[in-house]
């Protein structure tokens, strides 16, 4: 673009460039906030699944206390082991999140108010756009590959616990050998927690899974990736716990909340006509 000689036109061009830059900054901020919202959504999902799991395990333990279910009591320590493995993995990811937040924030070796700021009325990480910190820690320092190893370790631990339970007690549970093998294979293949270790190899300029996943990724984009891994671990835990609970004869669901249900015979009523409906009580 040629530089205009007329001062007025030159000023207009400069203002246009400034406006374009400001628009780019605004879009960038909105995108960053969208990443943070996605991360919050993942956290909410984890909390919901965890609450449901607590109720399932509570019901299972109550069920197994019955002497008629004595042969299924080996399920309880297996459930506890799966939950402990997922809890350990989630704690590892939490520490990694804190390290990234502080490194991109005030660098005082703890996550506090100094690591956050306000953007469009929303509290966000101060270093949400920082790509150097994520690349340095997760790629250059090798922490990303360590994370990959932790994912594989957590998944294998869950599969091993389930496999051991069925191999040692499957026949007592009334399962045939073929059914035991199929159940184990299905769990191993279908758990949500997994590592895609093939896609990155198709990229000529990526040297590893971590390089493909995290290089030059802003902190705001890395956080939902990490919470998604935690959500996948929690979903895997739920799948296993529910599967094991069903082996003992199903889950015990306690209904502790009630609400009225009104089913009207007609969707409208003319003046003078009686209103007729079936009224019942719903529970959840």
């Amino acid at each position: 673009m040629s530089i205009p000689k007329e001062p007025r036109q030159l000023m207009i061009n400069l203002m246009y460039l400034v406006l374009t830059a400001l628009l780019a900054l605004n879009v960038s901020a909105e995108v960053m906030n969208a990443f943070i919202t996605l991360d919050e959504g993942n956290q909410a999902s984890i909390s919901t699944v965890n609450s449901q799991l607590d109720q399932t395990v509570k019901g299972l333990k109550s069920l197994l206390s019955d002497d008629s279910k004595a042969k299924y009591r080996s399920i309880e320590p297996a459930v506890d082991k799966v939950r402990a493995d997922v809890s350990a993995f989630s704690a590892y990811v939490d520490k990694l999140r804190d390290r990234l937040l502080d490194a991109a924030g005030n660098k005082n070796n703890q996550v506090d108010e100094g690591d956050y700021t306000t953007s469009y009325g929303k509290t966000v990480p101060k270093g949400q756009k920082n790509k150097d910190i994520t690349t340095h820690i997760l790629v250059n320092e090798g922490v990303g590959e360590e994370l990959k190893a932790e994912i594989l370790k957590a998944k294998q631990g869950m599969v091993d616990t389930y496999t051991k339970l069925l191999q040692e007690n499957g026949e007592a549970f009334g399962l045939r050998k073929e059914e035991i093998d199929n159940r184990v294979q299905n769990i191993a293949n279908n758990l949500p927690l997994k590592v895609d270790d093939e896609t990155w190899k198709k990229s000529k300029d990526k040297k590893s899974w971590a390089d493909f996943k995290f290089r030059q990724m802003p902190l705001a984009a890395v956080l939902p990736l990490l919470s998604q891994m935690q959500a996948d671990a929690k979903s895997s835990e739920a799948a296993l716990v529910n599967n094991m609970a069903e082996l003992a004869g199903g889950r015990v669901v306690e209904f502790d909340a009630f609400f009225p249900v009104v089913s009207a015979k007609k969707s409208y009523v003319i003046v003078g006509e009686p209103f007729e409906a079936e009224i019942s009580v719903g529970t959840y």
Side-chain angles (χ1 to χ4, degrees), residues 58-67 69 245 248-252:
K58 179 182 177 181
L60 176 63
K61 290 181 182 293
S62 175
L63 184 69
L64 295 178
S65 66
D66 191 319
D67 289 340
K69 298 291 184 179
R251 294 178 290 165
V252 175

Side-chain angles (χ1 to χ4, degrees), residues 136-206:
H136 177 70
I137 293 176
L138 295 170
V139 181
N140 299 340
E141 289 190 1
V143 177
E145 289 301 303
E146 180 183 282
L147 170 61
K148 173 185 172 182
E150 289 293 329
I151 294 173
L152 295 174
K153 175 184 174 183
K155 178 181 180 179
Q156 192 60 50
M158 287 187 279
V159 172
D160 289 347
T161 297
Y162 184 73
T163 301
K164 181 180 179 182
L165 174 69
L166 290 194
Q167 287 181 344
E168 294 181 355
N169 303 279
E171 291 185 6
F173 295 163
L175 301 176
R176 301 188 306 276
K177 184 180 184 306
E178 296 78 8
E179 190 174 358
I180 292 173
D181 292 340
N182 288 335
R183 282 175 173 266
V184 169
Q185 192 63 42
N186 287 335
I187 285 294
N189 292 338
N190 297 317
L191 286 183
L193 185 63
K194 61 183 67 175
V195 171
D196 179 2
D197 210 18
E198 297 299 325
T199 301
W200 69 268
K201 296 176 182 178
K202 299 175 184 178
S203 178
K204 297 180 180 179
D205 59 339
K206 300 300 180 182

Side-chain angles (χ1 to χ4, degrees), residues 231-242:
D232 288 344
K234 185 59 65 175
S235 296
S236 298
E237 176 188 346
L240 275 173
V241 170
N242 289 333

Side-chain angles (χ1 to χ4, degrees), residues 22-50:
L22 288 174
L23 287 173
L25 287 173
N26 287 337
V27 170
S28 178
E30 290 171 358
V31 170
M32 293 299 108
N33 284 352
F35 282 130
I36 299 303
T37 300
L38 180 59
D39 181 53
E40 292 173 348
N42 287 339
Q43 299 289 354
S45 176
I46 292 169
S47 178
T48 299
V49 174
N50 201 51

